C-alpha cells in the first residue's frame, strides 16, 4: 500500500477490491505510516517492496525456496537472477520473464509459472499493475506466495541505487528518488493530496472493520 494506490482506490472499485482481498498489505511509503500515526492508529513500521524482497531472499536462502521473477527489463531480470544466485546460493531462481510483454502472452506466462510452481512469485511490474496481474491469475499460478515489489528488481540488479541508509532513516527516501529520477515528480504530486484526504477521512464502521 502506498499513497498512490490509496488515492486510486477512491475511484477505482476494482483496485479497491484487489486491496481488500489481499492476504497481506505492507506500508510501502512513509506517507502511509505518518498518516496512521496522526490518526492514532499507528502502524509499527514501513516495509517497502524492496525490504520485503530482501527478507524473502534471506529466508529463501535458509529454507531453499524457489523464486520466479516476473518484471523489469530483460537485462535487469537476467542480472537480478545472477545476483540472487550468487548472493543467496540456496535460493533457486526457477524461472523468469521480463515485464514488457504483450497481454496476449499472459496465458503462456501463467502456464510457465504454474509449471514451475515457485514458492515465491516476485512481480516487479510497477504498482498497481503487478497487483492487478496477480489478482487476475492468482488461482492459476500455483505459487505459494505472489508479491508485488515495485521496482525492486532494479535495485537487486544494481541498475537503480537505493537511497543510502541515512536518507531512509530520515524518512526522505522519496526525496532521494525524486532527485535521482526527476521524471517521477508528477507522481509525487499525489502526496500532499493524500495527506489531506487521509486526515479528513472519517471512518465508517464498515471501513474500519475491513
Ligand atoms: N515495469 C515492467 N513492465 C511494465 C512497466 C514497468 O516490468 O510494463 C517494471 C520497470 O522496469 C521497473 C518496475 O516495473 O522495474 C516499476 O518500477 P517503479 O519504480 O515505477 O515502481 P514502483 O516502485 O513505483 O511501484
Amino acid at each position: 500500500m502506498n499513497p498512490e494506490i490509496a488515492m486510486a482506490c477512491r475511484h477505482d472499485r476494482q483496485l479497491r477490491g484487489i486491496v481488500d482481498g489481499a492476504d497481506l498489505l505492507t506500508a510501502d511509503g512513509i506517507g502511509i505510516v505518518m498518516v496512521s500515526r496522526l490518526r492514532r492508529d499507528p502502524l509499527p513500521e514501513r516495509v517497502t517492496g524492496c525490504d520485503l524482497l530482501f527478507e524473502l531472499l534471506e529466508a529463501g536462502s535458509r529454507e531453499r525456496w524457489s523464486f520466479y521473477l516476473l518484471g523489469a527489463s530483460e537485462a535487469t531480470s537476467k542480472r537480478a537472477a545472477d545476483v540472487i544466485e550468487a548472493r543467496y546460493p540456496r535460493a533457486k531462481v526457477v524461472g523468469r520473464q521480463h515485464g514488457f510483454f504483450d497481454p496476449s502472452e499472459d496465458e503462456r506466462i501463467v502456464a510457465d509459472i504454474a509449471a514451475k510452481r515457485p514458492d515465491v512469485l516476485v512481480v516487479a511490474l510497477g504498482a498497481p499493475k503487478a497487483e492487478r496481474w496477480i489478482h487476475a491469475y492468482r488461482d492459476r499460478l500455483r505459487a505459494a506466495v505472489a508479491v508485488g515489489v515495485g521496482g525492486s528488481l532494479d535495485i537487486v540488479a544494481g541498475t537503480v541505487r537505493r537511497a543510502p541508509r541515512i536518507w531512509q532513516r530520515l524518512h526522505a527516501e522519496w526525496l532521494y528518488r525524486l532527485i535521482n529520477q526527476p521524471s517521477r515528480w508528477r507522481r509525487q504530486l499525489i502526496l500532499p493530496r493524500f495527506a489531506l484526504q487521509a486526515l479528513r477521512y472519517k471512518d465508517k464502521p464498515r471501513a474500519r472493520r475491513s
Side-chain angles (χ1 to χ4, degrees), residues 18-36:
I18 293 172
V19 166
D20 282 345
D23 295 308
L24 178 70
L25 297 175
T26 61
D28 180 8
I30 194 59
I32 299 279
V33 177
M34 280 178 151
V35 163
S36 78

Side-chain angles (χ1 to χ4, degrees), residues 2 4 28 71-73 98-100 124-127 129 149-154 177 181 184 187:
N2 63 29
E4 278 174 281
D28 180 8
S73 69
H98 69 74
F100 294 89
L125 295 170
K129 190 173 174 184
V149 296
S152 305
L153 288 183
D154 296 274
R177 286 187 89 177
Q181 294 169 273
R184 297 178 73 92
R187 292 174 54 174

Side-chain angles (χ1 to χ4, degrees), residues 54-172:
F54 282 117
E55 290 286 337
L56 283 166
L57 289 169
E58 290 282 344
S61 192
R62 282 195 307 273
E63 308 286 335
R64 297 178 184 273
W65 290 343
S66 58
F67 289 79
Y68 191 110
L69 312 182
L70 173 61
S73 69
E74 173 57 22
T76 298
S77 165
K78 170 88 181 63
R79 174 102 188 100
D82 291 345
V83 168
I84 290 169
E85 293 201 336
R87 239 187 259 161
Y88 306 93
R90 300 206 302 173
K92 200 167 164 47
V93 178
V94 287
R96 59 176 192 84
Q97 161 69 47
H98 69 74
F100 294 89
F101 52 88
D102 189 81
S104 64
E105 290 194 75
D106 280 8
E107 287 299 323
R108 174 187 63 75
I109 297 165
V110 170
D112 189 45
I113 296 168
K116 290 173 178 154
R117 303 181 72 160
D119 292 311
V120 183
L121 171 62
V122 175
V123 187
L125 295 170
K129 190 173 174 184
E131 287 70 19
R132 288 190 206 280
W133 202 92
I134 293 169
H135 181 78
Y137 300 111
R138 62 185 286 174
D139 296 333
R140 294 168 49 200
L141 293 169
R142 304 183 82 179
V145 168
V147 56
V149 296
S152 305
L153 288 183
D154 296 274
I155 293 174
V156 173
T159 42
V160 171
R161 230 185 113 216
R162 190 162 184 196
R165 282 213 178 278
I166 179 78
W167 291 72
Q168 293 179 39
R169 273 209 298 276
L170 293 171
H171 302 312

